[in-house]
Amino acid sequence: MDTKPNQSNTNIKPIAKDTVHKICSGQVVVSLAVAVKELVENSLDAGATNIDIRFKNYGIDLIEVSDNGTGVTEDNFGALTLKYYTSKLSEYSDLLGVSSFGFRGEALSSLCALANLTVTTRHKDCDYATKLEYDHKGNIIKQTPCSRQVGTTVCLTNLFSSLPVRQKEFHKNAKREFNKMTQLLYAYCLISVGVKITCSNQTSSNSKSVVVATQGTSYKDNIASVFGVKQLQTLLEIKPEYVTNIKDNIFKGLSGEVKETDESIDIEDVEIDLSEDSNDAEKSDVTNSDFSVSQKSQGHKNIAKPIEFTGFISSCAHGSGRSSTDRQFYYINSRPCEPTKIMKLINEIYRQYNSHQYPFVFLNVDMERTAVDVNVTPDKRKIFLTKEKIILDILKNSLLKLFENIPRTLKMESNVNCFNKEINDVQPDLEQPRVFNSFLQQFQNKTKQVCDSTILVDKEIKSVELKRKATSMLDFISSKTKKTEVVIRENSFAQAKENEDLNNRSFDILKSEDEVEDSEDTKNQQLDSGESNETKNTNDLSTESSFLEDDKRNIMYLDFNENVPNTQIRNITDVIIEKSHTTNCTPKALKMKANISSEIKEKTPKKQKIVTDKEDLGKNNKKTVTLKTSLEHVEALAKMYVNDKNKSAPTRIKFKSEINPVFNKKCEEELSKEISKDSFKKMEIIGQFNLGFIITKLEDDLFIIDQHATDEIYNFETLQKTTELTSQKLVIPQSLELTGVNEQILMDNLDVFKKNGFTFEIKEEALPTKRVKLLTLPMSKNWIFGKEDIEELLFMLRESPSEYCRPSRVRAMFASRACRKSVMIGTALSKADMRKLVDHMAEIDQPWNCPHGRPTIRHLVNLAMVHTKDEDT
Amino acid sequence: MFEARLLRSVILKKVLEAIKDLLTQATFDCDDNGIQLQAMDNSHVSLVSLTLRSDGFDKYRCDRNISMGMNLGSMSKILKCAGDKDTVTIKAQDNADTVTFVFESPNQEKVSDYEMKLMNLDLEHLGIPETEYSCTIRLPSAEFARICRDLSQFGESMVISCTKEGVKFSASGDIGSANIKLAQTASVDKEEEAVVIEMEEPVTLTFACQYLNYFTKATSLSPQVQLSMSADVPLVVEYRIPEIGHIRYYLAPKIEEEDS
């Protein structure tokens, strides 16, 4: 409760009691979820075995929680809703041993302040019940006797009526708030053994639907009744694994990074490691500093009261997990909470085994109450623990043991070092892996040379050097992404460190540095050729280019660049500059350059900023080289050369891409840019090739068209437009056993399902998972859709709600039908047939690929090019 | 102990032929009255109900009610090993997990027995409500099979409409449309070839040809087939197996597109 300075009046005064009440209450009950949570907790604290939660219109009109707990005695009626009045504790020291959910005496009084509260209660010693109505200050307005079983009913109407902004927000997002509330309620449903919890919602249309209903016989039953039996079947029980030697345990448990480090690492280090991992750095700092002493003493020797776990987790077998963390429930001493570190640990371990999914988690940690601090946040979701580390250890061991025998689906990725990762990332962008390899090879050779000349440089540096070059090379080639730049930086930092050692050594190394630089430059030069390697000349180039030649060309390159303001050559090794001035640019090199450039002419100019690690070296009083080059220069040069020499070349080359699966995307882009739909009609049919392809001509360009793929995509698109899925009734409605949430999604999207031919029989009053039965399903010839498709649709709707959802099998059906209908490869076609096929391409939306992904049309050759080549030779 | 002996194994063979395309596995419930089978196909669109009465068997003994889950594919393989004139005996111990088929050749010279593993199938007993149907049509089974086959070439669904004049089967599709009308036969010379229509009110329903074609696999079991229809309830296609029981297929109608 901080006092707020009043702007209009400079005197500091206490806030009026009413206002304090209002302000603080707004902090305690922030949402529907919290309001319901408080009421349910009250009921549970009252020892109820049956709790019934009713909502009207998602809680906007009414929230009612009734239980069969102890009830309230008459002398407590007045104190019930007073702020900081509670039966749970009277002194602060009681807080340590508090076992009830509530203890602050805030909940009811806050709800009083925010809503109209009515309590109907009957204590077991009383013969009749009493209905109490409270005002916003918590005073009883009306007290009337009435009839009721032993227990209490709390009615909330007009929630947030005293906070207009929040009320508006609540009304607007009622459905969403309601869903959040159910998530929170699930946590209480699962943990409450011996308590039946029923929650229902009545919408304005007077249809009542049960959100959740548990029997409360066991955790397992609770999970089954909330999420369905299916969920239960994928779960494994967590059995605690206590290990006597915690230190060993940590080494065994933690992943690669710790294992690799020194043997002398102690527990303290590991602990820090964990805290660094945690998202909530601040919080973990607090816990660590506060409790590190006790942790140390307790960690090794005395485990006073055993920490007990009960819980379930998804099996790590593929497909058993969930696509999000929406079903994770953590409890400390049966109190639902969010222990960040435990959550993180479990998810991390699970990811090691099932890298694409998150587990269902239900975990209750039972431990001494004195080791837990629940009084951290108003909603009591955050909890501080003194023995967190032990819990984490035991948990980790338990999980590792649990998952030990289940086959992993994918190798864990966390051990792959960052270099390899980057390479992996970059590789798909690389357009010619073959070329890339040859580069790598060259670098290897070069670094070998470097190493030979530098005797003092030890082996480690060599390898790092090599790696670095490889990666930075890659980065340059695909220098479009920002990420790569970062990597370069990273690399250079690492390099700088290593170079520090280097600097401390003799002049010999300095010399070797020069060598390194040499190769660096050649590398840059290689890069240029790498860019141009999309053309076919590359092979000659990379094989021909000996070390010397590379130097020459490189120098020539620098020569040109001197005229450009962008180019900054600072402190460049004198040797190189001198060399560059003395060496002639051989015509051969020039010609090569021109060849290359003629091919990249059409490319949009890309600037390349090459910042080598030498900059970092510079900080250590070493030489710095910053090269700024640009393809524009090369292009300009090339143009000059080409214009001089080859004036007869076609004015514009439309298609450059090779026919190669790697280039498919590029080809399509080119084609869709250059060929309009009318172009197909204008195409001249040359003939059929190999009984599978149609050769066509548009102006000077020759195209090859896959006759089957073309017909297939045409048939596919027409089928999709014309086919209607007919609804087939089931002979007996099939029960679907969907979870409560999925049922809700389904009921909200009945239209989408109806469009796809699914209709359902819905019994809103039935138990969750039994509310929906399938009545009709779509059918088309011998394709029948069913439960799997419904589940797929539900998944799609959950991830991205949209009106136009279609099961993927529908597409598959059309694709297969289109395929069978189409002209086969091997069929001879008359010119008219071919004409028809090509004309069809003009009629469809996406003519570039068949539904299975094969390309339909590719550019073969430009006839003008052929002619000019002939002239050349 | 369960034991059922049938002189003409060909009946069992035909029964299996009639259901194995529709069902992959099914539970045979055996009790004092005979053998019953009731199962839906995978997509829950159709239902098969088979009854073989105990008095139709040459020897029938069932001490305790047993349910045998069988893979129909495997069962059909075994029955193919029997000659048409062989005698077949089905045997199972109480609570056993296998069933034995014994085939004896007519002259008792060859006796072969096959043991098949049983399966544990979810028992989902489906109560089929007794319904009064607005139309029942009896026609030669071969004729019905022919109609189904012919019409399925035209479209994937078939409209059966029953009026006072007779019954009309029609289908339409890409190539065109087809209509077949059958009138009630005036003179009942041969009972097997008669077309008999009993009608309270006219009914028109649409069904998937594919399923009807599955049903007509039972044609060889009976010379006559009976179709019972009412609006909005499943069609019943019944083949009476002489002297021993019947096989009934239930098929839910297709929903006519209102907005097409």
Side-chain angles (χ1 to χ4, degrees):
Chain A
M1 275 171 293
D2 36 4
T3 45
K4 282 188 186 172
N6 198 333
Q7 290 298 322
S8 58
N9 197 336
T10 45
N11 292 335
I12 298 176
K13 302 184 295 185
I15 307 177
K17 233 180 170 183
D18 291 1
T19 324
V20 172
H21 184 42
K22 232 172 160 179
I23 292 174
C24 294
S25 303
Q27 272 188 321
V28 176
V29 180
V30 288
S31 64
L32 174 70
V34 178
V36 175
K37 166 185 159 294
E38 295 294 348
L39 294 178
V40 173
E41 283 185 350
N42 279 348
S43 294
L44 289 170
D45 284 345
T49 57
N50 206 335
I51 302 174
D52 187 27
I53 308 157
R54 281 202 312 132
F55 292 89
K56 267 190 190 155
N57 201 9
Y58 302 102
I60 294 174
D61 298 346
L62 173 81
I63 304 158
E64 185 188 277
V65 178
S66 38
D67 64 52
N68 60 352
T70 49
V72 185
T73 51
E74 189 157 0
D75 35 325
N76 282 333
F77 286 167
L80 194 61
T81 54
L82 292 185
K83 197 109 191 164
Y84 312 125
Y85 276 60
T86 182
S87 59
K88 310 300 188 310
L89 47 89
S90 51
E91 285 174 38
Y92 183 72
S93 57
D94 295 347
L95 185 61
L96 284 176
V98 76
S99 61
S100 54
F101 286 110
F103 48 75
R104 285 192 213 130
E106 274 183 329
L108 278 179
S109 78
S110 302
L111 288 172
C112 253
L114 301 176
N116 301 338
L117 183 80
T118 317
V119 179
T120 314
T121 185
R122 180 181 154 197
H123 193 257
K124 62 177 190 300
D125 299 335
C126 197
D127 295 334
Y128 56 90
T130 315
K131 188 175 177 184
L132 303 160
E133 280 173 47
Y134 293 91
D135 67 1
H136 285 322
K137 288 170 195 155
N139 304 320
I140 301 170
I141 316 170
K142 213 169 125 192
Q143 182 172 346
T144 45
C146 60
S147 79
R148 195 198 184 288
Q149 298 284 309
V150 173
T152 311
T153 303
V154 181
C155 262
L156 284 179
T157 45
N158 272 331
L159 186 62
F160 299 132
S161 55
S162 54
L163 301 172
V165 178
R166 205 176 293 180
Q167 191 179 28
K168 265 256 165 67
E169 194 66 19
F170 171 54
H171 286 188
K172 212 167 75 188
N173 301 319
K175 270 193 189 175
R176 200 187 306 153
E177 288 289 322
F178 189 77
N179 280 339
K180 272 190 202 155
M181 187 280 302
T182 46
Q183 273 296 321
L184 198 64
L185 191 64
Y186 284 162
Y188 288 91
C189 291
L190 295 182
I191 195 70
S192 307
V193 170
V195 185
K196 282 186 184 179
I197 299 180
T198 325
C199 174
S200 59
N201 179 38
Q202 189 169 11
T203 50
S204 42
S205 58
N206 270 337
S207 59
K208 190 179 159 192
S209 69
V210 177
V211 180
V212 66
T214 62
Q215 292 303 310
T217 39
S218 69
Y219 294 141
K220 279 188 162 185
D221 285 349
N222 285 346
I223 294 173
S225 44
V226 175
F227 296 116
V229 187
K230 244 190 197 158
Q231 175 70 70
L232 194 62
Q233 282 162 352
T234 64
L235 298 185
L236 301 171
E237 191 166 354
I238 302 172
K239 293 187 193 90
E241 285 287 323
Y242 300 106
V243 178
T244 42
N245 191 339
I246 290 175
K247 198 171 162 181
D248 280 358
N249 167 21
I250 289 167
F251 279 114
K252 219 170 88 188
L254 282 177
S255 54
E257 34 182 311
V258 179
K259 257 188 230 165
E260 280 165 20
T261 49
D262 239 346
E263 277 294 314
S264 65
I265 193 165
D266 59 9
I267 290 181
E268 201 68 2
D269 281 346
V270 178
E271 183 189 312
I272 289 164
D273 211 61
L274 272 170
S275 66
E276 273 168 3
D277 279 350
S278 164
N279 286 332
D280 198 346
E282 203 183 323
K283 184 203 147 191
S284 50
D285 278 347
V286 174
T287 39
N288 279 333
S289 57
D290 276 358
F291 303 125
S292 59
V293 181
S294 60
Q295 237 169 352
K296 250 195 238 164
S297 58
Q298 285 171 338
H300 282 290
K301 290 149 210 160
N302 54 334
I303 298 172
K305 179 197 170 190
I307 297 166
E308 280 173 29
F309 292 105
T310 30
F312 302 92
I313 187 165
S314 297
S315 160
C316 60
H318 182 69
S320 301
R322 304 197 42 80
S323 55
S324 68
T325 56
D326 61 344
R327 287 189 190 168
Q328 302 197 346
F329 303 93
Y330 301 89
Y331 308 85
I332 308 268
N333 291 333
S334 299
R335 179 191 299 280
C337 60
E338 287 157 1
T340 347
K341 279 198 218 169
I342 294 179
M343 290 159 77
K344 198 170 159 52
L345 177 91
I346 289 182
N347 282 310
E348 260 172 21
I349 291 179
Y350 190 79
R351 290 225 116 172
Q352 289 179 11
Y353 291 89
N354 185 352
S355 55
H356 296 299
Q357 289 188 304
Y358 297 95
F360 171 101
V361 181
F362 170 84
L363 178 73
N364 183 20
V365 181
D366 252 327
M367 56 190 293
E368 281 175 283
R369 296 196 187 280
T370 46
V372 185
D373 184 1
V374 277
N375 195 15
V376 183
T377 53
D379 62 0
K380 299 171 194 139
R381 296 288 289 176
K382 270 208 176 125
I383 285 191
F384 288 169
L385 303 168
T386 52
K387 292 178 181 170
E388 192 162 47
K389 200 165 66 63
I390 303 176
I391 297 174
L392 293 176
D393 286 340
I394 300 174
L395 200 57
K396 182 174 291 165
N397 254 284
S398 316
L399 292 180
L400 291 175
K401 186 103 182 171
L402 191 66
F403 291 148
E404 211 168 47
N405 297 323
I406 298 167
R408 293 181 183 208
T409 49
L410 277 170
K411 260 174 83 181
M412 52 185 279
E413 283 166 41
S414 57
N415 277 346
V416 181
N417 72 39
C418 87
F419 287 115
N420 289 342
K421 232 188 218 164
E422 280 309 321
I423 289 179
N424 286 339
D425 283 348
V426 171
Q427 217 152 9
D429 286 344
L430 237 165
E431 286 167 332
Q432 273 182 325
R434 192 165 40 84
V435 176
F436 157 65
N437 281 338
S438 73
F439 280 148
L440 275 188
Q441 210 123 45
Q442 282 194 352
F443 289 136
Q444 216 150 8
N445 295 337
K446 267 170 217 160
T447 30
K448 258 184 208 155
Q449 285 180 25
V450 171
C451 297
D452 287 343
S453 60
T454 64
I455 311 141
L456 284 170
V457 181
D458 55 31
K459 274 197 170 174
E460 272 180 38
I461 298 178
K462 274 188 228 165
S463 60
V464 173
E465 187 83 21
L466 177 71
K467 250 186 207 162
R468 189 185 55 76
K469 272 187 188 160
T471 44
S472 55
M473 179 63 197
L474 284 173
D475 296 335
F476 285 131
I477 290 182
S478 62
S479 63
K480 293 134 202 169
T481 56
K482 274 186 192 167
K483 195 165 58 179
T484 52
E485 229 178 61
V486 178
V487 175
I488 301 168
R489 288 277 151 74
E490 269 174 17
N491 288 340
S492 51
F493 277 131
Q495 191 60 25
K497 214 176 173 187
E498 243 141 286
N499 282 334
E500 245 176 295
D501 303 346
L502 229 121
N503 301 337
N504 297 337
R505 299 192 187 179
S506 66
F507 178 69
D508 282 356
I509 307 171
L510 268 183
K511 207 177 149 194
S512 74
E513 282 289 330
D514 290 353
E515 289 283 344
V516 171
E517 234 150 40
D518 264 4
S519 60
E520 195 80 45
D521 291 332
T522 45
K523 185 198 71 193
N524 295 341
Q525 184 271 325
Q526 281 285 346
L527 155 74
D528 293 335
S529 51
E531 279 292 329
S532 60
N533 253 336
E534 285 149 21
T535 71
K536 287 167 195 166
N537 335 10
T538 50
N539 284 345
D540 319 357
L541 218 153
S542 47
T543 45
E544 251 180 61
S545 56
S546 68
F547 211 176
L548 188 86
E549 228 169 6
D550 281 352
D551 260 353
K552 274 184 202 161
R553 287 208 288 136
N554 174 38
I555 288 147
M556 171 210 78
Y557 190 52
L558 286 174
D559 246 2
F560 284 115
N561 285 343
E562 269 171 4
N563 307 329
V564 184
N566 268 357
T567 316
Q568 292 174 8
I569 305 172
R570 276 190 280 140
N571 295 342
I572 195 160
T573 40
D574 299 342
V575 199
I576 287 185
I577 289 194
E578 267 168 29
K579 256 200 220 161
S580 71
H581 283 301
T582 49
T583 330
N584 317 331
C585 315
T586 61
K588 193 186 171 190
L590 189 78
K591 196 182 168 188
M592 265 162 94
K593 203 97 232 159
N595 271 342
I596 297 157
S597 320
S598 69
E599 297 296 328
I600 44 174
K601 194 172 61 173
E602 288 286 319
K603 283 223 121 173
T604 47
K606 258 180 261 154
K607 266 196 192 166
Q608 293 184 339
K609 194 179 162 201
I610 302 162
V611 185
T612 65
D613 56 298
K614 297 302 177 289
E615 202 165 53
D616 299 297
L617 272 174
K619 288 170 196 157
N620 303 320
N621 293 327
K622 295 294 283 181
K623 298 156 202 158
T624 305
V625 182
T626 307
L627 293 177
K628 269 193 180 169
T629 76
S630 148
L631 277 181
E632 285 159 319
H633 312 312
V634 188
E635 252 170 64
L637 281 173
K639 259 180 197 156
M640 267 158 51
Y641 180 76
V642 171
N643 289 346
D644 285 347
K645 218 179 172 182
N646 199 4
K647 276 174 186 156
S648 58
T651 46
R652 185 159 172 261
I653 302 164
K654 289 176 186 162
F655 305 98
K656 305 166 297 285
S657 300
E658 261 184 90
I659 301 181
N660 182 331
V662 188
F663 295 137
N664 267 346
K665 218 178 157 192
K666 232 172 104 195
C667 283
E668 267 169 51
E669 274 170 23
E670 256 178 25
L671 286 164
S672 52
K673 229 188 283 170
E674 299 292 345
I675 299 186
S676 67
K677 287 191 176 163
D678 300 336
S679 314
F680 287 111
K681 297 211 161 159
K682 285 182 204 146
M683 274 180 187
E684 187 188 327
I685 308 282
I686 307 281
Q688 197 184 17
F689 167 67
N690 228 8
L691 289 182
F693 301 92
I694 305 166
I695 310 287
T696 61
K697 193 178 116 182
L698 183 71
E699 287 161 21
D700 275 341
D701 291 302
L702 274 192
F703 294 93
I704 182 162
I705 296 175
D706 183 324
Q707 64 187 43
H708 175 69
T710 303
D711 201 23
E712 189 174 350
I713 187 66
Y714 173 76
N715 285 332
F716 178 74
E717 288 204 2
T718 27
L719 272 176
Q720 261 196 325
K721 272 180 211 150
T722 56
T723 310
E724 266 180 25
L725 292 177
T726 49
S727 285
Q728 166 71 53
K729 250 191 177 172
L730 298 192
V731 69
I732 288 169
Q734 184 182 13
S735 91
L736 288 173
E737 296 222 358
L738 299 172
T739 63
V741 179
N742 272 351
E743 282 177 341
Q744 200 62 52
I745 298 174
L746 190 141
M747 289 183 222
D748 290 343
N749 292 291
L750 282 177
D751 290 351
V752 177
F753 283 96
K754 199 165 179 205
K755 269 187 195 152
N756 281 300
F758 291 106
T759 54
F760 302 94
E761 177 186 82
I762 290 168
K763 282 191 198 143
E764 301 230 358
E765 70 283 356
L767 290 175
T769 78
K770 296 199 173 81
R771 279 187 280 182
V772 177
K773 278 186 172 180
L774 183 63
L775 273 186
T776 67
L777 44 76
M779 197 164 143
S780 181
K781 295 213 175 115
N782 42 11
W783 287 72
I784 295 160
F785 299 89
K787 206 180 160 189
E788 298 77 37
D789 304 287
I790 294 174
E791 270 165 7
E792 191 194 352
L793 276 176
L794 282 173
F795 177 78
M796 286 199 269
L797 287 168
R798 194 172 51 220
E799 302 294 306
S800 58
S802 123
E803 292 273 298
Y804 306 99
C805 276
R806 266 203 159 175
S808 58
R809 281 216 310 147
V810 173
R811 194 190 144 86
M813 174 187 79
F814 286 134
S816 107
R817 220 173 268 173
C819 184
R820 259 173 267 158
K821 241 174 112 174
S822 306
V823 176
M824 290 295 155
I825 301 281
T827 315
L829 296 176
S830 71
K831 210 145 195 177
D833 293 337
M834 290 190 266
R835 181 78 257 166
K836 203 171 79 193
L837 289 182
V838 176
D839 286 351
H840 278 160
M841 285 185 84
E843 293 164 25
I844 51 183
D845 295 333
Q846 289 294 324
W848 313 118
N849 280 318
C850 89
H852 299 108
R854 282 187 302 276
T856 50
I857 178 167
R858 281 295 175 263
H859 177 249
L860 266 187
V861 74
N862 187 308
L863 293 174
M865 289 274 281
V866 177
H867 296 318
T868 53
K869 266 184 199 163
D870 290 345
E871 281 165 28
D872 277 359
T873 48
Chain B
M1 174 82 179
F2 168 79
E3 197 177 336
R5 185 182 158 94
L6 197 60
L7 270 182
R8 303 160 296 155
S9 73
V10 66
I11 289 182
L12 202 59
K13 289 172 88 167
K14 282 180 181 167
V15 164
L16 217 68
E17 281 304 305
I19 58 174
K20 79 169 176 35
D21 286 345
L22 215 49
L23 310 171
T24 52
Q25 51 202 29
T27 306
F28 289 76
D29 296 310
C30 311
D31 58 17
D32 251 358
N33 300 322
I35 302 175
Q36 282 246 345
L37 177 150
Q38 220 180 62
M40 280 187 278
D41 70 308
N42 264 338
S43 55
H44 283 230
V45 170
S46 65
L47 184 143
V48 181
S49 159
L50 167 77
T51 305
L52 299 173
R53 290 188 309 273
S54 54
D55 55 25
F57 289 92
D58 302 293
K59 187 180 163 196
Y60 190 87
R61 175 183 163 199
C62 183
D63 301 342
R64 205 178 285 173
N65 294 0
I66 58 169
S67 296
M68 297 186 287
M70 297 197 205
N71 181 321
L72 297 182
S74 316
M75 189 178 171
S76 146
K77 274 181 196 155
I78 289 173
L79 286 174
K80 279 202 178 118
C81 303
D84 278 355
K85 287 176 184 163
D86 286 1
T87 308
V88 59
T89 312
I90 308 169
K91 283 187 204 164
Q93 297 296 323
D94 292 339
N95 298 322
D97 55 0
T98 55
V99 60
T100 312
F101 296 90
V102 183
F103 305 127
E104 293 160 70
S105 63
N107 50 13
Q108 304 280 317
E109 274 170 354
K110 180 181 163 196
V111 177
S112 38
D113 62 294
Y114 297 87
E115 199 177 68
M116 186 177 77
K117 288 191 187 114
L118 292 177
M119 314 167 72
N120 248 331
L121 298 178
D122 284 343
L123 266 188
E124 194 184 348
H125 243 285
L126 318 152
I128 300 165
E130 281 296 319
T131 318
E132 284 293 314
Y133 290 94
S134 346
C135 297
T136 45
I137 306 146
R138 259 189 317 215
L139 69 159
S141 60
E143 187 66 60
F144 182 60
R146 177 82 202 245
I147 290 169
C148 291
R149 203 189 67 206
D150 290 350
L151 289 188
S152 62
Q153 318 219 18
F154 282 82
E156 52 184 285
S157 49
M158 174 200 289
V159 181
I160 304 179
S161 75
C162 186
T163 55
K164 267 205 179 93
E165 289 76 45
V167 56
K168 189 174 91 176
F169 303 88
S170 49
S172 64
D174 293 339
I175 48 172
S177 62
N179 290 297
I180 299 171
K181 266 186 222 160
L182 288 181
Q184 192 156 350
T185 37
S187 61
V188 189
D189 294 342
K190 285 186 194 163
E191 209 176 311
E192 289 186 356
E193 284 167 20
V195 176
V196 181
I197 298 170
E198 287 162 28
M199 191 198 79
E200 280 165 26
E201 54 184 290
V203 181
T204 302
L205 289 173
T206 313
F207 300 99
C209 287
Q210 189 195 356
Y211 281 92
L212 295 176
N213 276 323
Y214 284 141
F215 301 165
T216 55
K217 299 271 196 275
T219 300
S220 58
L221 281 169
S222 168
Q224 281 259 321
V225 60
Q226 177 175 312
L227 313 178
S228 313
M229 298 198 297
S230 263
D232 288 332
V233 298
L235 157 87
V236 187
V237 180
E238 180 180 340
Y239 293 89
R240 295 215 172 102
I241 312 167
E243 289 162 37
I244 188 162
H246 62 253
I247 183 164
R248 281 186 192 143
Y249 299 95
Y250 294 80
L251 175 64
K254 276 192 157 190
I255 294 175
E256 289 295 286
E257 297 293 319
E258 299 113 31
D259 45 1
S260 64

